[in-house]
Structure formats: C-alpha cells, structure tokens
Amino acid sequence: MDEEIFELTADSVIVEITDKATGKVYRRELPIDYFENANFLRLSGENLDGSLSQLVFYTPRGIQRVKDITGKGPDEDPCGSHKKA
C-alpha cells in the first residue's frame, strides 16, 4: 500500500561534505531539528547563547503561496474553478 507523505521531520541531520583540497568525504550528525513540506524546509537549533535559531528555505510553490496570501501574486485562479461574473 502506497502511503502519501505530506511532511518530513527529524531530530537530527547528517551533513556530508567533500573537502575541496583533499577530496576526502566527511560526515557529521548534528542536533538540528528538520521539518519539510511542499512549501518550505526549516532547520532549527540553538545558537551560541542557547536561544532558538532557524533557517527557512522556501520551495517555488511556497514562494508563490506567500505572494498570494500577502496580495503580491498575480490576480488569477490557479484551479480554474472561479469564474468572473
């Protein structure tokens, strides 16, 4: 049975990098909360003073939705079901 997934969450992330100088691959597990849905990806953790810090990356769909709810998007009906009188 195929299950639809609407969001992804995790209490930690693994970062993998390849060092430019040596070509060696390094992996680190970091205590960063991860949340992703169709609109954005959010990384949350503590900064140096222990307060919450977040990075948010919007998907193209998420950017369009932010524009729509703030009134800056195009004046169009994305689903085609709203006819002008």
Side-chain angles (χ1 to χ4, degrees):
M1 177 175 6
D2 289 336
E3 179 182 334
E4 286 193 57
I5 298 173
F6 295 102
E7 63 185 41
L8 301 172
T9 61
D11 295 329
S12 65
V13 299
I14 296 174
V15 176
E16 181 176 287
I17 63 118
T18 303
D19 181 61
K20 286 183 181 182
T22 64
K24 290 184 178 180
V25 176
Y26 295 91
R27 296 181 75 181
R28 302 285 185 263
E29 184 173 349
L30 304 172
I32 296 173
D33 292 331
Y34 181 97
F35 179 86
E36 178 183 356
N37 64 23
N39 298 315
F40 65 89
L41 179 149
R42 181 181 62 220
L43 302 173
S44 304
E46 292 183 358
N47 65 21
L48 288 176
D49 67 4
S51 62
L52 178 65
S53 185
Q54 297 183 354
L55 289 172
V56 176
F57 302 92
Y58 286 96
T59 64
R61 175 182 167 176
I63 291 171
Q64 186 58 48
R65 288 187 174 207
V66 168
K67 287 179 180 180
D68 289 345
I69 64 173
T70 59
K72 294 184 171 72
D75 216 10
E76 63 184 36
D77 171 23
C79 63
S81 63
H82 305 282
K83 306 271 189 251
K84 291 187 178 186

